[in-house]
Amino acid sequence: QYGGKEVLEQAIPAVLEGHLAVQEVLFDVKEAEVLVQEKASSKLLCRHPYPTISCVGRCTWSSRIFAFCVASSPESPDGSTFDCLVFASSSEQECEEIVGRIAAGFKHTEWFV
């Protein structure tokens, strides 16, 4: 129920151990949101405006894995719960760039909210 960057250290392995189906996706970091599309069909899998993203970070034991947490129920009276989305990039450099662009997006959305 906490979406700070501190949870990523436990959340990333928990997601990976869930053995969910791996999908190739297109990851698009826009000015006000992050879009994830299925690579083969370009079908939109998820869209997350920056205000719903609580943290982003790289995996400590693999330089190509990164994740971000999103509020899954921001309107809940008990407070938000969070989902952790985990991705593997094609290179360490690409991973750094994506994480940096998402982090910069937090600042950009101050102007939109």
Side-chain angles (χ1 to χ4, degrees):
Q1 289 194 346
Y2 175 67
K5 65 182 178 181
E6 299 81 12
V7 302
L8 292 178
E9 193 172 327
Q10 293 85 32
I12 292 172
V15 171
L16 294 176
E17 289 168 10
H19 302 293
L20 302 173
V22 174
Q23 293 183 324
E24 281 198 59
V25 298
L26 300 172
F27 200 85
D28 194 1
V29 182
K30 300 275 192 194
E31 189 173 11
E33 63 188 353
V34 173
L35 303 175
V36 180
Q37 296 175 292
E38 190 175 69
K39 187 174 183 178
S41 68
S42 296
K43 175 186 170 190
L44 184 65
L45 298 174
C46 57
R47 162 184 269 139
H48 297 289
Y50 289 118
T52 66
I53 299 174
S54 63
C55 68
V56 62
R58 287 176 34 177
C59 182
T60 56
W61 43 268
S62 175
S63 58
R64 293 180 41 237
I65 295 176
F66 67 97
F68 62 92
C69 291
V70 293
S72 58
S73 57
E75 65 286 338
S76 170
D78 301 342
S80 294
T81 57
F82 297 89
D83 292 327
C84 181
L85 306 174
V86 179
F87 301 89
S89 61
S90 59
S91 69
E92 181 178 351
Q93 181 180 358
E94 182 181 62
C95 184
E96 280 184 39
E97 182 180 328
I98 291 169
V99 170
R101 289 183 63 199
I102 293 172
F106 292 130
K107 184 151 181 65
H108 289 287
T109 54
E110 289 176 4
W111 302 106
F112 290 175
V113 178

